[in-house]
Amino acid sequence: MQVKNVELVMSAVDPKQYPTTGYPEIGLIGRSNVGKSSLTNVLINRKDYAYTSGQPGKTQTLNFYNVDDLLYFVDVPGYGYAKVSKSEREKWAEMIETYLTKRDKLKGVVSLIDGRHKPSEYDLQMRDWLDYYEIPVLYVATKVDKVSKSQRKNQENMLRTELQLEQDETLIMFSAKTKYGKDEVWKWIENQIK
């Protein structure tokens, strides 16, 4: 998909603040610093539109990006970041759970996992949680440009095994640097918002 116009329309913490335009929404979730903003920037063909930070825990609200008046990408705060207070983490968890379980415009979630490592305990918990609520999920393994080409298939097999993915569940290897996997991610998104 060739994106022409993108606008960060709002940062929300409460359902009363969500957009009311009725466009379908795709949530982007993952651990802090896994590459959600980088994936967003690649998908919308912008260099630094979604703010990327070397410092985890920067996204603290649900950020709604209007993409060509067709859909919203919703950047969700990263999970598993230890340097915020327990009460702050609980507030984020409640905000995220409310959005993911109650939002009828949500058509699916892109769950980002660091493609260089085994999934974390948090990744596995999120996988179980999304499964429990029967939310459509695309798993995207990020930063695969840091995995040698000869090792990628092994890495992909290991991630599928660790995440206990069924045959029909998709895992896409992705690199923001080389844009590897971008078209496959878009294909899944387009199918979800039909």
Side-chain angles (χ1 to χ4, degrees):
M1 183 161 144
Q2 284 298 64
V3 174
K4 294 182 177 56
N5 296 303
V6 180
E7 181 187 3
L8 173 60
V9 289
M10 65 188 56
S11 297
V13 293
D14 185 89
K16 292 188 288 288
Q17 300 169 317
Y18 297 167
T20 56
T21 51
Y23 302 146
E25 297 170 6
I26 297 292
L28 302 167
I29 61 171
R31 285 176 55 194
S32 294
N33 251 24
V34 76
K36 292 185 301 295
S37 298
S38 297
L39 173 68
T40 303
N41 286 327
V42 168
L43 292 175
I44 64 174
N45 297 318
R46 304 293 190 280
K47 196 154 173 52
D48 293 310
Y49 194 85
Y51 180 68
T52 57
S53 169
Q55 192 180 350
K58 274 292 180 204
T59 303
Q60 299 182 9
T61 55
L62 298 165
N63 294 326
F64 289 79
Y65 292 91
N66 177 340
V67 181
D68 279 340
D69 291 334
L70 288 175
L71 77 145
Y72 287 107
F73 283 153
V74 184
D75 189 4
V76 175
Y79 54 79
Y81 179 54
K83 286 194 178 158
V84 290
S85 69
K86 188 171 189 266
S87 66
E88 195 67 27
R89 277 200 306 271
E90 284 167 3
K91 239 175 23 192
W92 288 0
E94 188 180 326
M95 172 182 67
I96 294 165
E97 184 169 350
T98 299
Y99 174 71
L100 292 177
T101 59
K102 306 247 186 316
R103 184 65 168 161
D104 63 344
K105 300 294 173 225
L106 181 68
K107 301 303 177 193
V109 162
V110 177
S111 180
L112 285 77
I113 313 275
D114 189 325
R116 302 169 298 176
H117 311 291
K118 274 187 170 184
S120 72
E121 198 56 45
Y122 290 114
D123 293 328
L124 298 176
Q125 286 171 3
M126 181 57 80
R127 189 246 183 286
D128 291 344
W129 191 89
L130 292 167
D131 219 28
Y132 176 80
Y133 283 104
E134 298 180 345
I135 297 170
V137 185
L138 170 66
Y139 291 94
V140 173
T142 61
K143 308 181 185 190
V144 297
D145 50 280
K146 296 188 167 74
V147 177
S148 71
K149 284 188 176 141
S150 62
Q151 278 303 305
R152 280 190 198 160
K153 195 68 196 157
N154 289 342
Q155 195 69 4
E156 183 179 347
N157 291 338
M158 179 275 291
L159 290 168
R160 291 191 69 84
T161 301
E162 292 288 324
L163 289 165
Q164 298 174 343
L165 298 184
E166 304 290 332
Q167 277 309 114
D168 62 342
E169 290 180 288
T170 307
L171 170 71
I172 293 173
M173 304 298 272
F174 174 79
S175 164
K177 196 180 234 173
T178 67
K179 300 183 179 35
Y180 182 85
K182 172 187 173 182
D183 293 343
E184 288 89 340
V185 175
W186 258 124
K187 197 177 297 178
W188 184 87
I189 292 170
E190 287 169 342
N191 283 334
Q192 291 306 119
I193 64 170
K194 279 179 181 166

